[in-house]
Amino acid sequence: MAKRATLKDVAARAGVSQGMAGRVLGNYGSYSKDTQRKVRAAARAVHYSPNVIAKALRTRRTRTVGVLISDITASFWTSMIRGIQDRAARDGYSIIVCNSDEQSHDEKAALATLVERGMDGLIISPTLGNHSYLRQLWRGGTPLVLVDRKVDGLDAPSIRVDNRAAAREAVSYLVRLGHRRIAIIRGPEGVETNDERFAGYAEALAEQRIPLQPALVKNARFLQEKSFEATRELLRARIRPTAIFVCNEAMASGCIHALKEARVRIPQDISFITFDDTVWAEYLDPPITCVSQPSYSMGMLAFDHLLGQIHGHGGRARPQEEVVMKTRLVIRGSCARVNGA
Amino acid sequence: MAKRATLKDVAARAGVSQGMAGRVLGNYGSYSKDTQRKVRAAARAVHYSPNVIAKALRTRRTRTVGVLISDITASFWTSMIRGIQDRAARDGYSIIVCNSDEQSHDEKAALATLVERGMDGLIISPTLGNHSYLRQLWRGGTPLVLVDRKVDGLDAPSIRVDNRAAAREAVSYLVRLGHRRIAIIRGPEGVETNDERFAGYAEALAEQRIPLQPALVKNARFLQEKSFEATRELLRARIRPTAIFVCNEAMASGCIHALKEARVRIPQDISFITFDDTVWAEYLDPPITCVSQPSYSMGMLAFDHLLGQIHGHGGRARPQEEVVMKTRLVIRGSCARVNGA
DNA sequence: TTGTACGCGTTATCAG
DNA sequence: CTGATAACGCGTACAA
């Protein structure tokens, strides 16, 4: 690793003091046009590039933000990450992303390294568990933005969608098509996002006085295989659902897998609707009807909000804001009017 | 941001010198059992956690590696990133990933920030353009591993697949099914990966003395929309292909989009095969036949190799290695025997 | 406008 | 085994 040039090298070559060199290269303080020229030339000559580490130690700013999500592999997160990255790059920030895999333990570990590494701020989608550590960080003044989920007793700003309304819209759509036996494949209880989606499901049913049948509620913990199994159970049951509402992408593929395996036709035999959109959803047969979330925009917005806090006026009032973004019910071909309705 | 405890605080509380505290907490040097106890206790009491920035400044090691790829949004890259992350986390490393979007300019900019930020090593998939900067880094001793692609005149280790062989296998499969008018939707010329895939395509054709028809070769620069247009052109042409070989995932969706739009049936009217596998490929109608790359493993391996270099014995012999991993031709339902063959 | 000197929190060296 | 003390590269208050 060829030793990089430092301010000292530049200063020596330019025939000025190190402090001077620092001033013109960091453009602060004051200096004459002439020294500016000399320093700039010297810097170019030795290929000077500032040592970000040293600067960080001195200024206590790393220009790096930490991102903690469940799994970068899920397309919802991938595109949100891209949104964050794009905004971050624009402003000279880098990001470090960690996966919690919905494990409270991993989340805590990741959070610890993120803090140790002196992140200027954190963008987090908390999994379930005890978040006292998070609250402590927030109270301590760490810039923080919650995405996709909130956590009780933490009034940090959050960027989310109205999961309840979105779910209700989706299920109501099913109801309007005549469905009454609508199953839901949901994620882990306690995860706020998911509880809201379930609430929306329940609401849509209640609105039409359709009883909520426990046998039609499956918890697949956001996991593909669990959803696969859950769907199988649904199909084996005495009363088969005429429609299935799935709560995220991973579970959607598991569900479809089981449906294909059992040669259940969509939407003739069962209607299908899911949270999260993919490039591929449109090309499946039939094209999948889904609730699309603006994940890329959410990422950009999350970063912007975080940056606001970072540049924020000291310990002044924090923007205890909650941005609720619009989802879109993308109607394609996986839902049909119920047989005989 | 509550000020974090430093070695000085710990030392004061433990009644020892700062140097001593540093020794036991960093377990180097030597110290008595008794001071160890005292220091440990003090550290716990004040919630000491080492300042990674200061350590990095001193040791010139950030325990962070930079990853530079074209677009984290493509599933091939997403899962490779996950592989890198998992291995990195295991060893206490973090990663910073940048997207080049196949733009030489963006690549250079990203590389610069990565270097500025003092990455311990770099995992890179170079786009096309001048890589003198990269060569300079490598010669300068920066730990480096190339993934997916190589670059001329850079003998850094690389983790790749045998793109030529994989493409040949895919196209040969098409030929065995009786196809002779096989189109290819390829990426940008000059990108090594892609040139190899094209070479494999050409080879498979040559083996069977099938002339390579320029009209059947479309360059869609790895872009979805370009592929969409290219496919349309293919369908409008006087001699329609009976099969299409697509060189990556983004282009695959563009191609399928055009096929669906034109109501061309797969595989009855046209057979379809592509590089890259997705969770969804299996559930499309028909399920997509494809060349699957072990991207997750490639990521893990890339990190391991990089770590080897980082821990490598000083400026000793560099592992100018080239790992070529196996691809898998996953035969599903998108290819059929050609009509009348 | 310019130079000097100190400190950010570590690690590492050198006496004792 | 232990305690000073010097870097690492940069920002910045202070003096000139």
Side-chain angles (χ1 to χ4, degrees):
Chain A
M1 188 80 82
K3 229 191 353 259
R4 279 163 47 199
T6 76
L7 277 182
K8 195 156 69 172
D9 301 325
V10 176
R13 187 174 181 108
V16 298
S17 76
Q18 184 203 353
M20 203 61 246
R23 276 183 276 247
V24 357
L25 262 19
N27 45 262
Y28 54 86
S30 50
Y31 40 83
S32 71
K33 265 283 179 249
D34 188 51
T35 51
Q36 181 190 67
R37 197 184 43 70
K38 284 192 298 187
V39 170
R40 289 257 173 84
R44 211 159 332 120
V46 299
H47 294 108
Y48 171 79
S49 79
N51 182 322
V52 178
I53 310 291
K55 187 185 302 209
L57 179 60
R58 183 65 234 248
T59 62
R60 295 155 177 290
R61 295 241 143 147
T62 54
R63 283 188 96 77
T64 309
V65 313
V67 179
L68 180 44
I69 56 169
S70 61
D71 178 15
I72 196 184
T73 270
S75 73
F76 172 72
W77 292 118
T78 313
S79 83
M80 181 180 295
I81 295 287
R82 192 50 150 105
I84 298 174
Q85 281 179 334
D86 286 353
R87 275 308 218 270
R90 191 192 60 176
D91 296 334
Y93 278 74
S94 294
I95 74 172
I96 290 181
V97 3
C98 299
N99 309 101
S100 72
D101 291 317
E102 303 288 359
Q103 305 293 331
S104 182
H105 176 266
D106 293 4
E107 172 178 296
K108 234 169 265 171
L111 222 39
T113 58
L114 253 19
V115 169
E116 258 184 15
R117 283 166 176 275
M119 300 291 100
D120 289 347
L122 264 21
I123 295 177
I124 299 184
S125 168
T127 178
L128 44 73
N130 178 13
H131 294 107
S132 58
Y133 189 42
L134 220 49
R135 274 192 287 272
Q136 197 176 319
L137 277 175
W138 174 246
R139 275 201 308 266
T142 304
L144 189 64
V145 170
L146 265 23
V147 283
D148 187 51
R149 304 173 185 176
K150 289 188 310 185
V151 3
D152 283 347
L154 214 191
D155 60 352
S158 65
I159 316 282
R160 316 179 313 115
V161 299
D162 189 339
N163 286 287
R164 198 172 42 68
R168 193 179 46 195
E169 184 185 4
V171 176
S172 295
Y173 169 64
L174 253 17
V175 171
R176 274 203 308 281
L177 289 176
H179 295 276
R180 293 181 60 85
R181 291 205 301 282
I182 303 172
I184 179 175
I185 298 186
R186 55 167 298 174
E189 268 173 271
V191 172
E192 197 243 12
T193 308
N194 189 68
D195 289 347
E196 282 187 357
R197 291 178 194 175
F198 181 71
Y201 163 80
E203 266 182 42
L205 258 35
E207 272 173 5
Q208 302 297 323
R209 309 203 187 296
I210 301 175
L212 194 161
Q213 303 189 39
L216 294 181
V217 177
K218 295 289 181 184
N219 184 337
R221 290 158 39 200
F222 282 152
L223 267 23
Q224 183 179 22
E225 314 89 70
K226 290 289 168 203
S227 171
F228 176 71
E229 292 165 20
T231 306
R232 276 182 153 176
E233 288 169 20
L234 246 21
L235 295 179
R236 272 200 301 269
R238 205 169 41 76
I239 47 158
R240 255 201 193 181
T242 61
I244 303 183
F245 168 56
V246 183
C247 285
N248 84 347
E249 184 198 345
M251 297 192 296
S253 65
C255 176
I256 288 187
H257 183 35
L259 257 22
K260 289 247 170 190
E261 184 199 56
R263 303 201 186 291
V264 173
R265 294 166 307 165
I266 310 173
Q268 296 90 331
D269 302 328
I270 281 189
S271 286
F272 178 93
I273 193 167
T274 182
F275 245 82
D276 295 336
D277 200 2
T278 335
V279 248
W280 292 107
E282 188 174 348
Y283 309 126
L284 288 182
D285 187 55
I288 297 302
T289 293
C290 66
V291 175
S292 173
Q293 305 187 65
S295 45
Y296 181 76
S297 305
M298 290 170 77
M300 295 196 294
L301 210 57
F303 181 81
D304 288 348
H305 260 249
L306 192 64
L307 199 59
Q309 289 183 49
I310 292 174
H311 292 157
H313 316 296
R316 217 74 66 77
R318 314 282 292 275
Q320 188 246 312
E321 200 169 341
E322 184 163 343
V323 179
V324 177
M325 302 195 67
K326 278 213 171 5
T327 56
R328 209 156 44 84
L329 180 63
V330 181
I331 296 183
R332 291 199 268 247
S334 62
C335 299
R337 188 153 286 284
V338 73
N339 287 338
Chain B
M1 186 84 79
K3 225 184 2 247
R4 279 164 47 198
T6 76
L7 277 182
K8 194 155 72 170
D9 302 325
V10 176
R13 189 177 181 105
V16 297
S17 76
Q18 189 201 75
M20 203 61 247
R23 276 186 276 249
V24 357
L25 262 19
N27 45 264
Y28 56 88
S30 49
Y31 40 81
S32 71
K33 264 285 178 249
D34 188 51
T35 51
Q36 182 190 66
R37 197 184 43 70
K38 282 192 299 186
V39 171
R40 289 258 173 82
R44 210 158 334 119
V46 300
H47 294 106
Y48 171 79
S49 80
N51 182 323
V52 178
I53 309 291
K55 186 185 301 209
L57 177 60
R58 185 61 233 239
T59 62
R60 296 154 175 291
R61 296 239 143 150
T62 52
R63 283 188 97 77
T64 310
V65 313
V67 179
L68 181 44
I69 57 169
S70 60
D71 178 15
I72 197 186
T73 271
S75 73
F76 172 72
W77 292 117
T78 313
S79 82
M80 181 179 296
I81 295 288
R82 193 46 151 104
I84 298 174
Q85 280 179 335
D86 286 353
R87 275 305 218 269
R90 192 192 57 176
D91 296 333
Y93 277 74
S94 294
I95 74 172
I96 291 181
V97 2
C98 300
N99 309 100
S100 72
D101 291 317
E102 303 288 359
Q103 305 293 331
S104 182
H105 176 266
D106 294 3
E107 174 179 294
K108 232 168 269 172
L111 222 38
T113 57
L114 253 19
V115 169
E116 259 182 16
R117 283 167 177 274
M119 301 291 100
D120 290 348
L122 264 21
I123 295 177
I124 299 184
S125 169
T127 177
L128 45 72
N130 178 15
H131 294 107
S132 58
Y133 188 40
L134 221 48
R135 274 193 288 273
Q136 196 176 320
L137 277 175
W138 173 246
R139 276 201 309 267
T142 304
L144 189 64
V145 5
L146 265 23
V147 284
D148 187 51
R149 305 174 184 176
K150 288 189 311 186
V151 2
D152 284 346
L154 214 189
D155 59 353
S158 66
I159 316 281
R160 313 178 315 114
V161 298
D162 190 340
N163 286 287
R164 202 173 39 69
R168 193 178 48 196
E169 184 184 5
V171 176
S172 294
Y173 168 65
L174 253 16
V175 171
R176 274 204 308 283
L177 289 176
H179 295 276
R180 294 181 59 85
R181 291 204 304 281
I182 303 172
I184 178 174
I185 298 185
R186 55 168 300 174
E189 268 173 90
V191 172
E192 198 244 10
T193 309
N194 188 69
D195 289 347
E196 283 187 356
R197 291 177 194 174
F198 181 71
Y201 163 79
E203 266 182 42
L205 258 34
E207 272 173 5
Q208 302 297 323
R209 309 202 188 294
I210 301 175
L212 194 160
Q213 304 190 39
L216 295 180
V217 176
K218 295 290 183 186
N219 184 336
R221 290 159 39 200
F222 283 153
L223 268 22
Q224 183 179 21
E225 314 89 68
K226 290 289 167 199
S227 171
F228 176 71
E229 292 166 20
T231 306
R232 277 182 152 178
E233 288 170 19
L234 246 20
L235 296 178
R236 271 199 301 268
R238 206 170 38 77
I239 47 159
R240 255 201 193 179
T242 62
I244 303 182
F245 168 55
V246 184
C247 285
N248 84 347
E249 184 198 346
M251 297 192 296
S253 64
C255 177
I256 289 186
H257 183 35
L259 257 23
K260 290 247 171 191
E261 184 198 56
R263 303 203 185 289
V264 173
R265 294 166 307 164
I266 309 175
Q268 296 91 329
D269 302 328
I270 281 189
S271 287
F272 178 93
I273 192 168
T274 182
F275 244 82
D276 297 336
D277 200 3
T278 334
V279 248
W280 291 106
E282 187 175 350
Y283 309 125
L284 288 183
D285 186 53
I288 297 301
T289 294
C290 67
V291 175
S292 173
Q293 305 187 66
S295 46
Y296 181 76
S297 305
M298 290 171 76
M300 295 196 294
L301 210 57
F303 182 82
D304 289 348
H305 261 249
L306 192 65
L307 200 59
Q309 289 182 49
I310 292 174
H311 291 158
H313 316 298
R316 216 75 66 76
R318 312 282 293 275
Q320 188 246 310
E321 201 170 339
E322 185 164 342
V323 179
V324 178
M325 303 197 68
K326 279 213 171 2
T327 57
R328 209 156 44 83
L329 180 63
V330 181
I331 297 183
R332 294 199 266 245
S334 63
C335 298
R337 189 155 285 286
V338 73
N339 288 338

